[in-house]
Each structure stands twice: as C-alpha cells, then as structure tokens.
Amino acid sequence: MTDDNLVDIRSKKSAILVYVALGIYIIFKIWIRSKIAYHPGRYATGGVTVLVITLLILRLIIRDHKSVKWITADVLVVAGAFSLTGMWQYNKEVVFLALFIMGSFGTRFYDLVKTSFIAVAGMLAFVPICCALGFAENLKFIRIHGDDVFYVDSFGFDAYATVSYCAFILTMGYLYLRKNSFKYWEIPIILALDYLVFKITDNRLMFLSEVILFAVYVAVRLGRNVFVKNKIFACFCAAIPGVVTVISFITSYFFNPNAHNFLNWLDGKLVGRLTFTRQAFDKYSLTFTGQKVKMVGNLPEGMEYSANNPKFFIDNGYLYYYFAYGVIALSVILFIYTVFIYRAAREGHYTLLAVLITISLSNFVNATMLFVDLFIPQVFILGFLNYFISGFTKNKDIFYTREFKNIREQSNV
C-alpha cells in the first residue's frame, strides 16, 4: 500500500510560506497589543492581513491537490469556519484559523510550534526594550488584594497580563520542543522564572496554570508505562474539557453575589470572574451561531486603570465561546479537544497530553483554547480531520505525521 502520509503528498518547499505567515501574524498580533509609539493603523493592519492571507493562499495553490479527500478536508474546514460559528460577522480570526489549518497540511507540528516560540519570545523581548528606551508607554495598573494596594507595570504592552500570557505560551512551547530531551531538573528553573513573571505582573492564575502543566507532565511521564494505551485513563483525560464546561456553567449560572458561600469565596479568588460570567447570562441570550459580545475594560489613552472604570470581561473560555461563538461552535471545540486528548493519551504522547489538559483547565479562567499562535492548527488537523476524513482511506493512521507515529512507536521505551 502506498504511504499516503501528509508529509509525502504535499509540497515540502512551500511549507516555508506557512511558517513565514504564522511568524508575521504572531508578531503583528503582539505588536498591536503593545503601546509602541508607532501603532499600526487601518492601512498597516489591512496590509498585514492581505500579506498573511496571500502567503497562505499561495501555499494552497502550490501544494498537491491530486486526492479528493484533501479537497474534502478543505471544504470541511471552510464550512466549519464560516457556517458553524457565524464568524463571518463577528470574529475574523476564524478566517485566519481556517487558512492556517488548510495551509499547515504537510508541515511539521514541531516547526509550527518552533515558529510560534521564536516569534513570541522575540516580541516579548522587543517590546520591553522599546519601553526601556522610551519608544513605548509603560502603563500603570492598580492591583488590590484586601488592604494591599499597589501598582504593576505593563512594560510597553496595553495590559499588565500580556507578559504573563506570553510566558505561559513560551513555557508550553519549550516543554513541547524539548520533548524526550526535557529533564526534571529544568522544572524548578522554569518555575522560578515563571514565578518572577508572576511577581512582576501579579497574574497568579497564569502561574498556577504553569504549575498545573508541570504537575500533569510529571504524573503522566512517570506513569506512562501504566497509562499508555489504557482506555480508562484515556477516557478520563478526554472527559476533562466537558467536565470543566459543566462546572463553568454551574458555578456561573447559580452564582449569587449577595450570598455568602463557597462560590463567593471562589469569586474572590478568581478576581470577580464569576461576577462577570453571571452578568453574561443576564446580558446575552442563547444563540447557535454566535453574537457580538462587547468586552469593556481597556485603558483610556494616557489614563491609569482604576476600580471605578467600567469593566466587563468573560474570562471563562467555555462561556465566552458559548456566548460569542454559539452553541454549535462550543460543541465543535469540545469535540475536537475531547478526541485529540483521547488520541494523545492512547498513543502515549505525554508531553502534548500535558499541554492539552493544561489548556483545557486554564480555559476556566482564560480563553486559551483558541490561541492560534501555538497549537490550534494541528489540533484541528490531527483531531477533527483524522476522525472524519479517515473514512476515505483504509489506513486510519493516515492523518498522523511521521513525527507522531515515531512517538507512538517509542511510547513504551
């Protein structure tokens, strides 16, 4: 039987277009979240958008389209992006997401993550340097913990938490890029650096997510000979996104700000997140294809943040997808993560499994499941498309890259 692997049937040379497009996209996304003196205006934004889309479309034109199943895969991705979520009206990000998914067929997931890691790390260094040199404004944010009131810096970004989000992405990326070469002694060093970021930004939830990441990683790695290919363990892991979704709905819908119970204590620990998600149930109705959700709270130009400023965020990713993207989109996202987590557990890919579980748990306090700039393109490919499109072939493993097959074969070593 002919090896119809993704890596073999696509043009390898044109893969560079995807990496360049992804790098430009990430750099631009972080740039517009900065306070660098030169801020991209409408024309610059439109130019970058056209450039990224052009590179991805060029990749689609160059790559091999000999097989009907690949055209079917493209159609499904486009249909999912435009008809399932209603994004054509509200969130143009999904257009990029669909193009990245289609363009990344035949690329190496490792190289996608490496591209993201380099771009994020570069901008995380570049923006604070611009701030130190006076080319970017350093916003001050008030943080209040009981009677303790203090300021934190933005280091040239438009929000104090941006540095911690980038650190979270880099931590996950580093763990994945190191794979089997990763040593346990690296964990305390990385956590020490992440703790420093936490002390600088006061974003304790991101630091907690990083602690969870390594806790899950160590547990799965140490028990891999027991867990690998264990259906019960795989089902337990795969249930995590759905369970966290149910918990999100219960804790928010039944939250009463005037009561004094566990949920109020939890709301305090989550810095008012339950208060906002409860408000979301009052402000927005159920939709199947999504609606415009207005998030309020960005700083006025040249003003410091204060507790009196109007503010509304849905920092629970599951509930944000529910209100902004619609029921169908939330169901699709949950299905994709459930299938992919199950496959990662069954195939013994403990590094990626730890990352996916951490993202699913962290999505309770931040909308991390749709970070285009790290893992999502390949999540859609290996999860969604493997499940649906593999029916066109006799080889059910056809949608795995060689890299993933090698990990599976070495899982018991």
Side-chain angles (χ1 to χ4, degrees):
M1 179 177 177
T2 303
D3 183 5
D4 198 17
N5 187 275
L6 281 175
V7 177
D8 297 327
I9 68 173
R10 301 292 181 176
S11 172
K12 295 180 181 179
K13 292 183 178 180
S14 64
I16 187 65
L17 297 173
V18 181
Y19 305 137
V20 172
L22 182 60
I24 293 175
Y25 179 80
I26 294 171
I27 291 173
F28 181 73
K29 290 290 290 183
I30 297 179
W31 187 293
I32 62 177
R33 294 195 61 175
S34 74
K35 300 297 290 183
I36 294 177
Y38 174 74
H39 207 267
R42 182 178 63 179
Y43 294 108
T45 301
V48 172
T49 300
V50 171
L51 175 60
V52 172
I53 291 178
T54 300
L55 290 173
L56 293 174
I57 291 179
L58 182 60
R59 158 70 172 173
L60 299 181
I61 294 173
I62 294 176
R63 67 178 193 175
D64 188 0
H65 277 92
K66 294 180 181 179
S67 178
V68 173
K69 61 179 175 292
W70 299 116
I71 299 177
T72 305
D74 291 344
V75 171
L76 283 178
V77 171
V78 173
F82 289 95
S83 64
L84 286 181
T85 67
M87 293 294 184
W88 65 90
Q89 293 181 4
Y90 308 115
N91 294 279
K92 297 179 182 179
E93 293 292 313
V94 161
V95 177
F96 287 101
L97 181 59
L99 289 173
F100 276 121
I101 291 170
M102 292 184 287
S104 61
F105 288 155
T107 62
R108 295 180 68 234
F109 185 29
Y110 184 89
D111 290 334
L112 289 173
V113 177
K114 183 167 64 174
T115 300
S116 169
F117 185 89
I118 294 173
V120 174
M123 290 302 291
L124 186 57
F126 177 72
V127 175
I129 289 174
C130 289
C131 180
L133 294 177
F135 298 116
E137 183 181 2
N138 181 30
L139 300 177
K140 297 288 186 178
F141 291 80
I142 292 177
R143 300 292 289 164
I144 304 174
H145 296 299
D147 296 330
D148 189 14
V149 180
F150 56 94
Y151 286 92
V152 294
D153 299 304
S154 71
F155 297 98
F157 293 98
D158 65 354
Y160 72 93
T162 303
V163 172
S164 60
Y165 291 145
C166 290
F168 179 54
I169 292 174
L170 293 178
T171 300
M172 290 190 296
Y174 179 81
L175 180 62
Y176 181 82
L177 293 174
R178 291 280 289 158
K179 293 187 183 177
N180 294 334
S181 299
F182 187 82
K183 307 300 181 183
Y184 288 120
W185 58 262
E186 297 179 64
I187 295 178
I189 297 176
I190 298 174
L191 284 180
L193 294 174
D194 289 334
Y195 182 77
L196 177 62
V197 172
F198 154 60
K199 295 300 292 184
I200 292 174
T201 64
D202 192 46
N203 192 341
R204 63 189 63 192
L205 293 176
M206 282 295 94
F207 177 69
L208 178 60
S209 298
E210 289 150 356
V211 172
I212 292 174
L213 170 65
F214 287 114
V216 174
Y217 171 80
V218 171
V220 177
R221 182 172 176 177
L222 289 177
R224 64 185 182 276
N225 291 328
V226 177
F227 295 146
V228 166
K229 300 181 181 179
N230 186 304
K231 289 184 178 181
I232 296 178
F233 173 72
C235 290
F236 173 81
C237 293
I240 290 176
V243 170
V244 179
T245 300
V246 172
I247 293 175
S248 298
F249 276 86
I250 292 176
T251 55
S252 297
Y253 187 79
F254 292 102
F255 173 72
N256 181 358
N258 298 319
H260 297 282
N261 51 30
F262 170 76
L263 291 182
N264 292 83
W265 174 85
L266 181 63
D267 183 55
K269 295 299 181 182
L270 297 178
V271 200
R273 278 172 167 80
L274 296 184
T275 298
F276 291 136
T277 51
R278 175 60 256 186
Q279 290 177 10
F281 280 99
D282 297 329
K283 292 169 64 74
Y284 300 101
S285 59
L286 168 68
T287 67
F288 286 94
T289 58
Q291 60 193 309
K292 183 68 173 179
V293 174
K294 186 177 181 181
M295 309 284 264
V296 181
N298 288 333
L299 286 172
E301 185 70 26
M303 293 183 63
E304 292 183 343
Y305 175 83
S306 72
N308 296 324
N309 282 345
K311 185 178 180 182
F312 174 75
F313 288 110
I314 304 178
D315 276 332
N316 183 305
Y318 298 102
L319 295 179
Y320 177 73
Y321 304 148
Y322 171 77
F323 289 112
Y325 298 171
V327 175
I328 298 177
L330 175 60
S331 300
V332 171
I333 293 169
L334 289 176
F335 179 77
I336 291 169
Y337 267 83
T338 299
V339 171
F340 195 45
I341 289 176
Y342 180 83
R343 297 294 295 188
R346 291 283 285 157
E347 304 296 343
H349 194 333
Y350 53 83
T351 303
L352 188 56
L353 178 63
V355 168
L356 292 173
I357 290 176
T358 303
I359 290 176
S360 299
L361 294 174
S362 300
N363 205 54
F364 183 76
V365 293
N366 281 291
T368 56
M369 276 186 164
L370 290 184
F371 273 156
V372 178
D373 54 12
L374 195 57
F375 299 103
I376 299 306
Q378 210 75 356
V379 169
F380 275 72
I381 294 169
L382 298 181
F384 185 63
L385 295 182
N386 180 73
Y387 187 86
F388 283 103
I389 313 292
S390 60
F392 287 92
T393 69
K394 295 180 180 180
N395 181 2
K396 294 297 182 180
D397 287 332
I398 192 171
F399 283 83
Y400 288 118
T401 62
R402 282 202 185 104
E403 175 190 8
F404 200 76
K405 287 183 177 181
N406 291 337
I407 292 173
R408 180 193 59 195
E409 293 168 358
Q410 299 172 5
S411 61
N412 289 324
V413 177

